[in-house]
Amino acid sequence: MIKEQKLREDAEADIRGDVLESILCHVPLIYLLPASHVSKSWNDAVFSSLRHFNKPKPWLIVHAQTSRPPYAITALAYDPRSSLWLRINLKAPIEYVSALRSSNSTLLYMLSLSKFSFSFGPLHLTWHHVDPPLVWRTDPIVAVVGRQIIVAGGACDFEDDPLSVEIYDLDTRKWDRCESMPAILKDSAASTWLSVAANTKKLYVMEQVSGITYSFDPSSRIWSGPLDLRHDQNIYFSVIGISGDNLIMVGLLGNSEIVKDVKVWELKGESFEFCKEIGVMPKELVERLKREHTSLSSIKISLMDDVLYIYNPEEPEELVVCEINGTGVSRWGILKNTAVSDWSRVGERLVLTCANVGLGDLGKAVGSGKGSFSIVNKGILQ
């Protein structure tokens, strides 16, 4: 014991201060976890390197659900700080309820006639299983706003109100019905046609083709709108996401046969009346999005803080990565989606989320025995 302590002290004497921090900034995040437990000085150096040298960036997590029983769910994660694809090894399988879904956020959910299951932790190690909404739905929009989960639209044809809205309170663990969605959304009130974004106070819903946008305040239970967010008449398809306090909109310009541009806007203000174009996707990346096809009818995004992933849902082999700073887009790149293979395109359902993952999250996963991590390959951002 004394000898081990002496060896540890000698190691600390050899490598300390800025030298140690500069070394640790090149170490993958999953390996910084054991390094932080070497000693107090190493712990300080680990967190100092994360604060000042190589800060953590939001992870992209690709969840794959097989199309055959037992409908197993696996997950790969891309850590842009370390430029690595990782496998998230779950100690216990996720209980199957129905098809796995997300809503451009950290939220994952499954909905059936008998159960509503959801998970909103960054690594999705914990799932909650509750009674389903009162209205049976097949393709609703689902989002977390504060301590409430909003489930809207997507009702079956035999239901009286296809626009019905229900809220599940995470504290009282009860469902409550409230004002229905605006009537203008009657023919598009489903996650297939609507793009969803949410912060801690409101839910925002945009019709992807027309751009019609409404907001919903779960505190007052009132819908507001429509909001006019499209300041360019050439947009034929758009999606939204939240970055901090601002709304990010990504739009396809031209038409599905001839895509002129893919642009990114930042919207600010109470009604997002301040719109600023912050980036235009390079032409070669637009072509990579289309892959072998000549047309591009839709895109999906996964966004957290200042990192935006854009992909073609029909051809998810590659993702366009967009990094945003205070003035606009600071970097464009292309990332090969390691989770996609010829077999997975046929045999699996892919669902993407984006989350801030820190040492604390990794420590909880490993310490609880719920998960571990292993490197799959290097994720080169081109």
Side-chain angles (χ1 to χ4, degrees):
M1 187 72 173
I2 296 175
K3 185 178 180 181
E4 290 179 0
Q5 183 176 353
K6 182 67 167 60
L7 289 172
R8 191 181 299 116
E9 291 173 352
D10 290 342
E12 291 178 28
D14 292 336
I15 307 174
R16 63 173 67 245
D18 293 342
V19 175
L20 178 57
E21 291 179 14
S22 63
I23 293 173
L24 291 174
C25 77
H26 298 287
V27 177
L29 193 65
I30 60 171
Y31 293 147
L32 287 181
L33 182 61
S36 68
H37 295 295
V38 170
S39 67
K40 184 180 183 303
S41 62
W42 274 58
N43 182 275
D44 293 341
V46 166
F47 282 94
S48 180
S49 71
L50 291 174
R51 282 194 302 270
H52 304 295
F53 290 94
N54 192 359
K55 298 180 180 180
K57 294 181 179 180
W59 284 21
L60 172 73
I61 305 179
V62 183
H63 311 266
Q65 183 184 44
T66 58
S67 58
R68 297 178 179 178
Y71 306 102
I73 298 173
T74 57
L76 294 182
Y78 175 68
D79 174 12
R81 176 195 174 274
S82 309
S83 297
L84 291 174
W85 278 98
L86 309 168
R87 188 177 305 281
I88 302 177
N89 305 301
L90 300 177
K91 298 302 180 183
I94 299 172
E95 178 185 346
Y96 171 75
V97 175
S98 65
L100 185 69
R101 300 174 184 270
S102 74
S103 59
N104 300 344
S105 65
T106 59
L107 176 69
L108 284 179
Y109 63 93
M110 293 181 281
L111 176 62
S112 72
L113 278 169
S114 60
K115 190 178 296 184
F116 176 52
S117 298
F118 56 90
S119 174
F120 47 79
L123 296 171
H124 302 286
L125 299 175
T126 300
W127 280 78
H128 307 271
H129 307 283
V130 302
D131 291 335
L134 300 175
V135 174
W136 170 229
R137 308 165 189 270
T138 55
D139 188 25
I141 58 170
V142 181
V144 177
V145 179
R147 294 288 297 168
Q148 297 175 311
I149 298 180
I150 301 170
V151 180
C156 291
D157 294 337
F158 57 78
E159 293 287 352
D160 294 333
D161 184 6
L163 298 169
S164 66
V165 178
E166 295 177 75
I167 296 179
Y168 182 79
D169 191 296
L170 293 168
D171 296 319
T172 63
R173 300 183 181 181
K174 293 181 178 180
W175 287 99
D176 188 20
R177 293 189 66 167
C178 50
E179 180 183 349
S180 296
M181 300 175 74
I184 196 173
L185 298 176
K186 182 178 180 181
D187 295 327
S188 58
S191 65
T192 301
W193 313 113
L194 297 176
S195 180
V196 177
N199 55 25
T200 57
K201 295 181 179 179
K202 289 185 179 181
L203 164 71
Y204 300 94
V205 175
M206 171 183 279
E207 194 175 65
Q208 296 170 146
V209 175
S210 70
I212 294 173
T213 304
Y214 286 85
S215 66
F216 177 72
D217 185 339
S219 298
S220 64
R221 309 294 173 94
I222 294 175
W223 288 89
S224 301
L227 303 174
D228 182 16
L229 303 186
R230 288 186 177 178
H231 295 266
D232 192 322
Q233 299 302 313
N234 292 313
I235 300 174
Y236 69 90
F237 186 92
S238 56
V239 290
I240 53 175
I242 291 288
S243 177
D245 295 327
N246 303 324
L247 198 68
I248 298 295
M249 181 174 68
V250 183
L252 304 179
L253 283 74
N255 59 64
S256 61
E257 298 301 323
I258 303 176
V259 184
K260 293 182 179 179
D261 279 308
V262 178
K263 293 186 178 183
V264 182
W265 291 267
E266 182 180 61
L267 299 107
K268 301 180 179 181
E270 183 64 27
S271 300
F272 299 113
E273 61 271 20
F274 303 107
C275 180
K276 176 185 177 184
E277 181 184 308
I278 60 173
V280 181
M281 185 182 295
K283 298 293 186 182
E284 60 271 21
L285 298 189
V286 177
E287 293 302 313
R288 297 282 287 269
L289 267 185
K290 295 189 325 188
R291 302 286 290 178
E292 292 87 6
H293 301 283
T294 57
S295 63
L296 182 62
S297 59
S298 67
I299 55 171
K300 287 190 175 183
I301 64 171
S302 194
L303 168 66
M304 179 60 69
D305 294 341
D306 56 357
V307 180
L308 168 66
Y309 297 91
I310 307 169
Y311 62 101
N312 180 347
E314 296 180 1
E315 299 284 349
E317 288 89 347
E318 292 183 324
L319 305 104
V320 174
V321 184
C322 170
E323 296 187 12
I324 304 169
N325 59 22
T327 58
V329 174
S330 59
R331 184 186 185 191
W332 290 97
I334 198 85
L335 176 68
K336 183 175 175 57
N337 187 351
T338 295
V340 175
S341 65
D342 291 339
W343 179 85
S344 68
R345 289 186 63 186
V346 177
E348 293 183 334
R349 178 187 184 89
L350 296 182
V351 177
L352 278 63
T353 60
C354 202
N356 286 314
V357 178
L359 279 187
D361 300 304
L362 300 181
K364 288 179 182 178
V366 175
S368 65
K370 290 184 177 181
S372 61
F373 308 88
S374 55
I375 293 177
V376 177
N377 59 37
K378 191 79 172 175
I380 305 299
L381 188 62
Q382 302 174 23

